[in-house]
Amino acid sequence: MFNLFKKDKSPTDVTAQAELAAPPEAPALSWTERLKQSLTRTRSQLGNQLAGLFGGGRIDEDVYEELETILLTSDVGVSATQALLEDIRNRVKRQHLDDTSQLREALKQALLELLSPLQKPLDTTTHQPFVIMLVGVNGAGKTTTIGKLANFFQAQGKSVLIAAGDTFRAAAREQLQAWGERNQVHVVTNQSGDAAAVIYDAVNSARAKNIDIVLADTAGRLPTQLNLMEEIRKVQRVIGKAIPEAPHEILLVLDANTGQNAVTQVKAFDDALKVSGLVLSKLDGTAKGGVIAAIAQARPIPIRYIGVGESIDDLRPFNAEEFVEALFS
Ligand SMILES: Nc1nc2c(ncn2[C@@H]2O[C@H](COP(=O)(O)OP(=O)(O)OP(=O)(O)O)[C@@H](O)[C@H]2O)c(=O)[nH]1
Ligand SMILES: [Mg+2]
């Protein structure tokens, strides 16, 4: 037997332990498989109930009513649920559907039509440096998303600079620096405690060094904290003084676990800052992925990326068809 708790670890022991910890047969999953896996809880929340409903039988009012309940309990939200139901009713009429087993495809198509307008990949080639400011409530996943984005852009051959604009939280800078090291990307910090100044410096430095992309972190804040919302508007204005049209993208990061509250956040941050793109993080392990439909209905801001885990590779551009497929397969 191996003694895993031996005090005196040689490098060989460490390797042996790592091999023991990771099942050797676990193959690296493709993105599609990982997306599917990450949506497991949402899918079972939605899918298992739908399976019962779509099992066959006549389409009547009771079926619509049950479908409405299922959508509402899957965080799709009231108005997106109404919109989807209306769309499905029209499809049933138009295509002369009469059996509930045909509703599955109708719902899939209705959902795809609702989500497709959100699929607008971020084009960072319009400016250099292209400045992206990440905003959101505390713990939404902003800093982690920056780490993943740095990796994503570098994989496309782009140079990246990170600005440590979260000057509120004590460990924020260290957390970002760790991501910087992992990506071998420079992290601009300063001790002033002034987020606007840090990001301003980073943008100027990126311009001087011909860097392609600046990722600016900011402190988490609630839309109800009016002084902090005013502060982020100031950060936005100051960045615009370094480069007139910057920030070129204001990315609001949303934790998918927050369900309907994410819709409230989208509205509030958009009203304050004119958000140009969304990141839906933590889709893994949440049963509330249906909130994506609520967002599409309430404020159809492009979902630029989705996050499905804490690793550097757990982020991809949003693809509506891929998402709906993963939800229903
Ligand atoms: N499972 C999972 N966890 C995530 C994901 N994204 C972030 N996290 C975790 O969520 C927690 C908060 O993430 P951060 O990136 O620190 O969030 P933040 O918005 O920067 O937080 P503040 O700076 O405190 O406002 C961390 O423990 C992350 O590892 C994701 O896609 N999936
Ligand atoms: Mg952070």
Side-chain angles (χ1 to χ4, degrees):
M1 272 301 283
F2 287 102
N3 180 359
L4 294 182
F5 303 101
K6 255 194 293 191
K7 277 198 185 102
D8 198 8
K9 288 182 201 144
S10 72
T12 341
D13 287 330
V14 173
T15 316
Q17 285 175 35
E19 276 168 12
L20 278 177
E25 73 277 12
L29 295 178
S30 72
W31 169 252
T32 318
E33 287 164 328
R34 262 191 299 157
L35 176 63
K36 223 178 116 177
Q37 198 175 61
S38 79
L39 290 176
T40 301
R41 289 192 59 200
T42 300
R43 191 170 51 240
S44 53
Q45 162 71 30
L46 194 67
N48 291 351
Q49 297 185 67
L50 290 177
L53 184 62
F54 295 165
R58 248 173 53 80
I59 300 172
D60 56 19
E61 278 310 306
D62 286 351
V63 170
Y64 286 121
E65 217 164 279
E66 203 173 322
L67 180 55
E68 180 175 29
T69 309
I70 295 171
L71 292 175
L72 286 175
T73 53
S74 304
D75 276 89
V76 169
V78 177
S79 68
T81 295
Q82 295 315 326
L84 285 170
L85 280 174
E86 200 185 317
D87 187 343
I88 291 166
R89 279 178 192 271
N90 288 335
R91 281 170 203 274
V92 167
K93 260 189 231 141
R94 243 185 3 247
Q95 300 167 17
H96 308 291
L97 310 180
D98 50 19
D99 193 88
T100 58
S101 62
Q102 298 165 309
L103 281 184
R104 185 187 160 84
E105 192 54 33
L107 172 61
K108 220 170 130 177
Q109 290 307 320
L111 197 56
L112 186 60
E113 220 156 90
L114 181 63
L115 297 184
S116 288
L118 304 189
Q119 183 186 322
K120 287 195 189 120
L122 182 60
D123 178 13
T124 59
T125 60
T126 53
H127 299 84
Q128 196 205 22
F130 191 91
V131 182
I132 305 174
M133 179 168 92
L134 287 91
V135 300
V137 302
N138 308 72
K142 298 175 291 300
T143 307
T144 309
T145 298
I146 287 185
K148 296 178 196 170
L149 280 177
N151 177 60
F152 176 79
F153 288 128
Q154 282 189 315
Q156 299 173 353
K158 294 184 166 38
S159 52
V160 177
L161 188 74
I162 293 174
D166 179 357
T167 50
F168 279 84
R169 205 162 54 79
R173 201 182 310 144
E174 286 73 22
Q175 186 191 1
L176 204 55
Q177 250 150 0
W179 278 110
E181 276 164 35
R182 227 167 287 165
N183 283 299
Q184 296 185 307
V185 164
H186 183 60
V187 180
V188 175
T189 61
N190 79 28
Q191 305 293 336
S192 72
D194 181 356
V198 178
I199 303 176
Y200 183 87
D201 285 353
V203 169
N204 279 328
S205 158
R207 192 164 46 181
K209 293 179 185 154
N210 278 326
I211 298 276
D212 296 317
I213 291 167
V214 178
L215 295 167
D217 199 11
T218 61
R221 70 200 71 225
L222 292 172
T224 48
Q225 294 170 306
L226 297 181
N227 56 331
L228 294 183
M229 292 308 278
E230 189 44 55
E231 191 248 12
I232 194 87
R233 273 198 294 265
K234 183 190 138 197
V235 172
Q236 182 186 20
R237 282 196 304 273
V238 171
I239 298 175
K241 283 181 183 153
I243 298 180
E245 283 171 64
H248 306 104
E249 176 82 358
I250 297 182
L251 269 187
L252 171 64
V253 182
L254 301 161
D255 177 343
N257 289 289
T258 54
Q260 287 302 298
N261 194 258
V263 179
T264 314
Q265 291 171 25
V266 172
K267 288 181 183 164
F269 276 94
D270 187 36
D271 289 344
L273 292 169
K274 263 194 104 11
V275 170
S276 50
L278 306 176
V279 176
L280 201 54
S281 75
K282 309 192 203 181
L283 274 167
D284 55 309
T286 181
K288 299 183 173 180
V291 71
I292 198 166
I295 294 169
Q297 181 68 26
R299 199 69 63 108
I301 298 171
I303 296 183
R304 305 291 197 192
Y305 305 96
I306 56 173
V308 300
E310 293 173 280
S311 314
I312 199 159
D313 200 31
D314 287 332
L315 173 129
R316 286 290 191 288
F318 172 67
N319 178 302
E321 198 167 346
E322 193 181 68
F323 189 90
V324 172
E325 268 313 317
L327 208 53
F328 281 85
S329 55

